[in-house]
């Protein structure tokens, strides 16, 4: 990529951002470098083939933004600039996208910042663009430093959450929760609800149950069953045993109690390792079963999918786990 230096240090009239040659101050051969294009295309493939900048371009009325971004030639860059300028959107929306594009260049901070100052781009727009530019490039933690700023009105919150929950390079389960609990966006898209719920359930079984109850009856049951599956089918070890005890001991409603039994008896969860034992121990926890020693007869000292049910039984017998 050729280095971009803005003419006259952008000491130009504000409306000059509409003039491509003044804005980019480049010769006819100026274009994105191949390695930059390759990185952008790779980033796009990791987010269901649509970057956040492309969603923004659509809000400006740019049809098929992937035809123009990333621009593969000087002419394509000119065409992209033209589509942005010809939009009926307010100037600060156009300037925000141009700010994003300028950040793609080698001296991105200097060049983009100079442009933002020259056109008096409002701070909240600079903050938002900084955030989505970083998110599009897979710099998740840095992106959240911007996207959780109180000054911002949540924009594309579901898309941002879904990226944080599902991006293959995003392995910090705390980040989507940090964004969700800080921004408190309304979530209505099923795939986003399920992706976020998986992260909540991984963090806290109890919190996941409480959250599922706020999602409406249809979603509530689906999420409740997802919680059971996540716990019983999760990685083995002490953490699984702890999470299983927490799940089995939760104060279910009558509906949830019926769903729990149906899912593990006749539903998709009946084939899960530990399904029968979970039902038995739940019955004891709610005072509906015989002593745990009798219910787990023949299983003492045995482990079911890395869960030691004899230890769990002992906990009940010794009173270290109280009835729900």
């Amino acid at each position: 990529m050729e280095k971009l230096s803005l003419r006259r240090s952008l000491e130009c009239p504000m409306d000059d951002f509409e003039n491509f040659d003044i804005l980019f101050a480049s010769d006819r051969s100026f274009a994105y470098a191949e390695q930059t294009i390759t990185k952008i295309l790779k980033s796009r493939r990791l987010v269901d083939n649509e970057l956040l900048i492309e969603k923004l371009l659509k809000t400006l009325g740019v049809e098929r933004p992937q035809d123009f971004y990333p621009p593969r030639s000087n002419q394509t860059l000119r065409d992209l600039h033209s589509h942005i300028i010809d939009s009926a959107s307010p100037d600060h929306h156009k300037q925000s996208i141009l700010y994003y594009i300028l950040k793609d260049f080698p001296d991105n901070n200097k060049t983009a910042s100079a442009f933002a100052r020259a056109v008096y781009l409002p701070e909240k727009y600079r903050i938002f663009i900084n955030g989505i530019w970083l998110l599009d490039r897979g710099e998740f933690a840095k992106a959240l430093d911007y996207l959780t700023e109180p000054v911002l009105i949540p924009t594309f919150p579901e898309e941002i959450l879904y990226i944080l929950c599902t991006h293959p390079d995003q392995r910090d389960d705390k980040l989507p929760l940090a964004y969700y609990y800080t921004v408190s966006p309304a979530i209505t898209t099923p795939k986003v609800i399920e992706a976020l719920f998986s992260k909540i359930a991984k963090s806290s079984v109890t919190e996941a149950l409480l959250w599922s109850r706020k999602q409406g009856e249809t979603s509530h049951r689906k999420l409740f069953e997802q919680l059971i599956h996540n716990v019983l089918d999760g990685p083995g070890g002490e953490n699984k045993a702890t999470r299983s005890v927490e799940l089995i001991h939760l104060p279910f409603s009558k509906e949830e109690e019926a769903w729990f039994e149906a899912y593990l008896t006749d539903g998709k969860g009946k084939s899960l390792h530990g399904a029968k034992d979970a039902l038995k121990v739940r019955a004891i926890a709610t005072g509906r079963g015989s002593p745990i020693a009798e219910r787990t007869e023949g299983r003492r000292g045995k482990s079911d999918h890395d869960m030691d049910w004899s230890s769990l039984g002992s906990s009940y017998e010794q009173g270290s786990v109280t009835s729900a």
Side-chain angles (χ1 to χ4, degrees), residues 84-155:
I84 294 168
I85 298 306
D86 291 343
S87 167
S89 298
D91 281 352
H92 53 267
H93 289 179
K94 302 176 187 179
Q95 293 160 354
S96 294
I97 292 181
L98 292 173
Y99 175 62
Y100 181 108
I101 292 170
L102 290 172
K103 288 177 69 66
D104 285 341
F105 293 94
D107 57 343
N108 54 50
N109 288 327
K110 180 179 178 181
T111 302
S113 296
F115 171 74
R117 289 194 299 271
V119 298
Y120 302 102
L121 186 63
E123 181 184 18
K124 64 180 180 180
Y125 290 97
R126 295 200 305 271
I127 291 172
F128 176 67
I129 293 299
N130 287 338
I132 67 165
W133 188 87
L134 288 165
L135 199 62
D136 277 344
R137 276 142 194 82
E139 298 187 46
F140 309 105
K142 290 181 180 179
L144 286 201
D145 287 341
Y146 292 99
L147 295 174
T148 55
E149 280 286 335
V151 70
L152 295 184
I153 297 174
T155 303

Side-chain angles (χ1 to χ4, degrees), residues 24 41 71 87 282:
F24 289 96
L41 294 177
S87 167
R282 177 67 187 176

Side-chain angles (χ1 to χ4, degrees), residues 276-277 279-300 309-310 312-319:
K276 291 182 180 179
D277 294 290
L279 286 167
K280 292 176 183 178
V281 177
R282 177 67 187 176
I284 301 303
T286 55
R288 296 181 290 109
S290 57
I292 193 68
E294 296 178 15
R295 303 292 287 182
T296 58
E297 184 178 357
R299 302 186 67 93
R300 288 288 186 182
W309 290 97
S310 65
L312 181 58
S314 298
S315 296
Y316 277 96
E317 291 170 349
Q318 295 167 9

Side-chain angles (χ1 to χ4, degrees), residues 4-6 20-26 30 77 81 101-102 105:
L4 179 68
S5 57
L6 297 185
F20 179 92
D21 292 312
I22 289 179
L23 178 61
F24 289 96
S26 59
F30 178 81
L77 181 59
H81 176 265
I101 292 170
L102 290 172
F105 293 94

Side-chain angles (χ1 to χ4, degrees), residues 1-12:
M1 181 189 297
E2 296 184 24
K3 187 173 182 179
L4 179 68
S5 57
L6 297 185
R7 189 170 297 165
R8 292 179 294 167
S9 299
L10 280 173
E11 294 175 359
C12 54

Side-chain angles (χ1 to χ4, degrees), residues 174-195:
K174 295 178 182 178
L175 292 185
L177 299 182
Y179 178 78
Y180 176 73
Y181 288 121
T182 301
V183 177
S184 299
I187 308 298
T188 58
T189 305
K191 72 174 185 178
V192 181
I193 291 174
E194 291 177 20

